Amino acid sequence: MKRTLLLALSLVVCANNAGAMDRKTLTIASEGASPPWNAITPQGELAGFDIDVGRDLCRRMKFECTFVPQDWDGIIPALTVGKFDAIMSGMAITEKRKKSIAFSKPYAGGFNQVVIRKDLNLPPTDTLAELDLTTIDPEKQAKIEELRAALNGRTLGVLRSSNSEAVLNELFGKVATIRSYDSQDNMHLDLVAERIDGGLADYFTWKAFLDSTDGGIATLYGPRLSGGLWGPGVGVGLRQDDGELVAAFDSAIEAATSDGTLKRLSEQWFKIDVSPQTSN
């Protein structure tokens, strides 16, 4: 009886594995609101670094891929219930997210930065300096205290449910008012309308705003922030029981790294190289 049951379970496992190996199509979700990582064109199509990298990885894995927009707030729950197969949306690999989903190897690095309104005339800072929050020594703590003093009493915006929200609360929650937004665009609107003094977000998302006409009222402030809650980089989000797909993405990312494709796409979209060779 036990041998019959074990045989039946083995057949089920083999059938499931065969189904995964036979997969020919994938649906990949992206927020579409964080250029140049991802955005929605006037024609209503997803475009950006995440999308171009996704297309290249799909070609290497021999999958036909469809890209669909998904609000950031619900993107992980939607993946886990099977609404789509993968997330490529500038999503940082973090220990907290790894409790819910699996990740591929990083396909990009990057950093985050505070932006502040120019009319506040805060003390100048070195905006090209780098501050890795993975470990905090006395020198780093002193730089954080300088920022806290400068931002004391200010109102700062951040994307809701993002790692930046957790970092902002941790670093400045006791000295500043934190206001969370459902989209980067709505945070920009409140910054321009002077309803907030500044905010914290991905540098490349800020760059697109600061280069716009409306963005002329604001400027980068303080060092480039990375590590800590932001993790080792940006990866493909996948379901935890999709081990074969994780391995397939890992192999494709390694190949795209080795032949320079990720470097080329990074320089095309960000004007600097944030491919895994330089970010890890």
Side-chain angles (χ1 to χ4, degrees), residues 4-19:
T4 302
L5 180 58
L6 287 172
L7 177 61
L9 288 173
S10 297
L11 289 173
V12 170
V13 171
C14 289
N16 288 339
N17 286 342

Side-chain angles (χ1 to χ4, degrees), residues 180-232:
S180 300
Y181 290 86
D182 60 352
S183 73
Q184 188 77 18
D185 286 343
N186 285 335
M187 182 163 62
H188 294 165
L189 289 173
D190 269 12
L191 183 58
V192 172
E194 301 184 3
R195 286 189 282 268
I196 56 176
D197 298 313
L200 175 65
D202 173 84
Y203 163 82
F204 300 106
T205 301
W206 279 134
K207 187 71 168 55
F209 168 69
L210 294 176
D211 288 344
S212 70
T213 302
D214 287 344
I217 58 97
T219 185
L220 295 168
Y221 194 76
R224 297 173 171 182
L225 303 171
S226 63
L229 293 172
W230 283 300

Side-chain angles (χ1 to χ4, degrees), residues 36-265:
W37 290 96
N38 52 77
I40 296 179
T41 68
Q43 293 73 36
E45 298 176 348
L46 281 164
F49 175 74
D50 291 317
I51 313 306
D52 279 359
V53 171
R55 290 192 177 113
D56 180 81
L57 300 182
C58 288
R59 178 184 61 79
R60 295 173 192 272
M61 296 186 293
K62 303 187 185 308
F63 287 142
E64 291 184 10
C65 292
T66 301
F67 293 86
V68 296
Q70 169 68 45
D71 289 343
W72 182 262
D73 278 356
I75 201 166
I76 287 180
L79 171 68
T80 59
V81 300
K83 186 175 179 181
F84 38 78
D85 303 303
I87 298 169
M88 293 191 71
S89 194
M91 180 172 279
I93 303 168
T94 68
E95 293 304 315
K96 182 179 179 181
R97 288 179 178 143
K98 285 164 72 174
K99 293 178 181 177
S100 303
I101 62 174
F103 278 99
S104 69
K105 293 182 176 182
Y107 61 84
F111 53 89
N112 294 260
Q113 202 153 10
V114 171
V115 156
I116 204 80
R117 289 195 348 249
K118 291 178 179 176
D119 65 312
L120 298 177
N121 295 314
L122 297 187
T125 58
D126 181 1
T127 58
L128 297 179
E130 298 180 359
L131 184 58
D132 186 335
L133 300 175
T134 303
T135 58
I136 305 296
D137 58 24
E139 183 180 353
K140 291 180 181 178
Q141 188 62 46
K143 292 180 180 178
I144 292 171
E145 293 304 327
E146 288 179 12
L147 273 177
R148 281 181 176 151
L151 299 175
N152 189 12
R154 303 299 177 184
T155 299
L156 303 173
V158 69
L159 188 63
R160 185 179 304 134
S161 302
S162 66
N163 291 313
S164 293
E165 183 181 42
V167 172
L168 196 62
N169 278 302
E170 181 177 305
L171 295 185
F172 309 115
K174 293 183 178 178
V175 300
T177 300
I178 309 299
R179 190 170 296 174
S180 300
Y181 290 86
D182 60 352
S183 73
Q184 188 77 18
D185 286 343
N186 285 335
M187 182 163 62
H188 294 165
L189 289 173
D190 269 12
L191 183 58
V192 172
E194 301 184 3
R195 286 189 282 268
I196 56 176
D197 298 313
L200 175 65
D202 173 84
Y203 163 82
F204 300 106
T205 301
W206 279 134
K207 187 71 168 55
F209 168 69
L210 294 176
D211 288 344
S212 70
T213 302
D214 287 344
I217 58 97
T219 185
L220 295 168
Y221 194 76
R224 297 173 171 182
L225 303 171
S226 63
L229 293 172
W230 283 300
V234 169
V236 183
L238 298 154
R239 283 184 287 277
Q240 290 180 330
D241 61 356
D242 237 343
E244 287 189 352
L245 199 52
V246 173
F249 269 106
D250 283 350
S251 296
I253 290 169
E254 287 179 1
T257 301
S258 297
D259 69 11
T261 298
L262 292 184
K263 180 177 185 294
R264 176 178 59 78
L265 292 175

